[in-house]
């Protein structure tokens, strides 16, 4: 079974702090994704990566950056956390190549910025 | 500009009856569609998918129908069970897009015992 793990289930940070959210997958997937889920807005893509050190902006990249130094690990960075970044953050991974594959999600990190 | 729309935010059905969850899309380039199910405090889990070359895909109690001319798909759950109560997301993708998915806002399904 594919396993996607996220470093924290719940996180509370203060405004202005730098926040790191870590995601690890164990199935050698090429693609990795970061989403946020907010009530009434569904899942919105922040960033994705289709290879080590490769990244592309999603629909809402402002205020975020990412890092992928190893294939299995994809980090989301909030450079200076703000209250409007309070959300559920979900990491996902999928096989790469031109073929479409379903994404496998981690359990999510509930981030609260105070 | 919302490319995948789930216009009904919630649906309530009686146990044993059929649940029909609808999804519309605007981007005619989409050629692969998926449904995900999400329980509170958990990540979404893949449920069923359909390619644009098909109009129906079935997996146990779950069937997805695709109407390309109407840019509409639906998920049928028969019979519905209380454990099906969750948020259901419709998602769409374009071949060659590195499996990047565009999600709808989700529908909360409640199955009454």
């Amino acid at each position: 079974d594919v396993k996607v793990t996220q470093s924290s289930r719940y996180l509370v940070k203060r405004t202005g702090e730098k926040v790191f959210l870590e995601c690890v997958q164990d199935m050698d997937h090429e693609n990795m994704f970061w989403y946020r889920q907010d009530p009434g807005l569904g899942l919105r893509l922040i960033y994705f990566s289709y290879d080590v050190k490769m990244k592309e902006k999603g629909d809402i990249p402002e205020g975020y950056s990412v890092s992928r130094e190893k294939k299995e690990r994809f980090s989301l960075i909030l450079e200076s956390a703000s209250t409007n970044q309070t959300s559920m953050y979900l990491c996902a991974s999928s096989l790469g190549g031109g073929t479409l594959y379903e994404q496998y999600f981690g359990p999510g990190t509930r981030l609260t910025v105070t | 500009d919302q490319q995948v729309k789930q216009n009904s935010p919630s649906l309530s059905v009686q146990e044993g009856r059929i649940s029909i969850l609808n999804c519309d899309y605007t981007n005619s380039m989409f050629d692969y569609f998926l449904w995900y199910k999400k329980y509170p405090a958990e990540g979404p889990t893949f449920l069923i998918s359909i390619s644009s070359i098909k109009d129906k895909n079935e997996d146990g109690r779950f069937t997805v129908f695709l109407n390309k001319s109407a840019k509409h798909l639906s998920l049928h759950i028969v019979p519905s069970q209380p454990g099906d109560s969750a948020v259901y997301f419709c998602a769409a993708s374009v071949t060659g897009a590195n499996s990047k998915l565009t999600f709808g806002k989700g529908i909360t399904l409640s199955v009454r015992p």
Side-chain angles (χ1 to χ4, degrees):
Chain A
D1 275 353
V2 176
K3 192 167 184 184
V4 180
T5 56
Q6 295 183 228
S7 51
S8 304
R9 294 300 302 270
Y10 300 93
L11 210 52
V12 180
K13 295 291 181 180
R14 293 194 182 276
T15 302
E17 278 193 83
K18 191 169 185 176
V19 181
F20 293 86
L21 302 182
E22 304 285 338
C23 175
V24 177
Q25 51 93 4
D26 66 357
M27 283 301 291
D28 204 35
H29 283 175
E30 286 81 8
N31 299 331
M32 296 188 76
F33 308 83
W34 274 107
Y35 296 87
R36 61 178 284 178
Q37 183 197 1
D38 300 288
L41 296 177
L43 275 69
R44 294 181 292 167
L45 181 64
I46 304 171
Y47 266 98
F48 69 101
S49 168
Y50 50 90
D51 202 349
V52 175
K53 297 189 185 293
M54 305 300 287
K55 61 186 179 185
E56 282 196 25
K57 292 180 181 179
D59 300 319
I60 51 164
E62 296 78 19
Y64 303 95
S65 62
V66 291
S67 173
R68 192 167 182 201
E69 296 295 321
K70 293 185 177 181
K71 191 175 184 180
E72 67 271 18
R73 189 179 297 269
F74 192 34
S75 302
L76 180 70
I77 304 154
L78 286 67
E79 296 291 342
S80 177
S82 63
T83 55
N84 63 13
Q85 292 178 311
T86 292
S87 185
M88 168 70 88
Y89 289 88
L90 293 158
C91 175
S93 71
S94 72
L95 285 167
T99 306
L100 290 158
Y101 296 97
E102 60 263 26
Q103 295 180 15
Y104 295 86
F105 284 83
T109 296
R110 171 71 65 183
L111 173 67
T112 302
V113 182
T114 61
Chain B
D1 179 25
Q2 197 181 351
Q3 298 186 67
V4 177
K5 302 178 183 180
Q6 296 178 263
N7 292 321
S8 302
S10 62
L11 175 68
S12 180
V13 300
Q14 192 74 35
E15 181 178 4
R17 301 288 191 108
I18 184 171
S19 294
I20 300 176
L21 290 73
N22 293 307
C23 178
D24 297 293
Y25 61 96
T26 58
N27 187 344
S28 57
M29 297 296 292
F30 287 145
D31 57 3
Y32 189 61
F33 304 90
L34 308 89
W35 283 93
Y36 280 82
K37 175 179 176 179
K38 185 181 185 299
Y39 292 118
E42 293 184 14
T45 55
F46 169 73
L47 198 55
I48 192 168
S49 64
I50 187 167
S51 165
S52 60
I53 63 173
K54 294 185 176 181
D55 55 18
K56 177 183 173 181
N57 189 26
E58 192 172 351
D59 183 1
R61 296 186 297 115
F62 303 91
T63 303
V64 56
F65 296 91
L66 175 63
N67 182 336
K68 288 188 294 293
S69 60
K71 293 191 178 70
H72 176 83
L73 62 154
S74 60
L75 174 68
H76 292 212
I77 306 173
V78 183
S80 301
Q81 299 173 354
D84 295 329
S85 297
V87 178
Y88 289 79
F89 291 100
C90 172
S93 186
V94 177
T95 302
N98 286 311
S99 296
K100 182 183 168 188
L101 298 177
T102 300
F103 284 86
K105 293 183 178 182
I107 301 171
T108 300
L109 173 65
S110 299
V111 180
R112 306 185 304 274

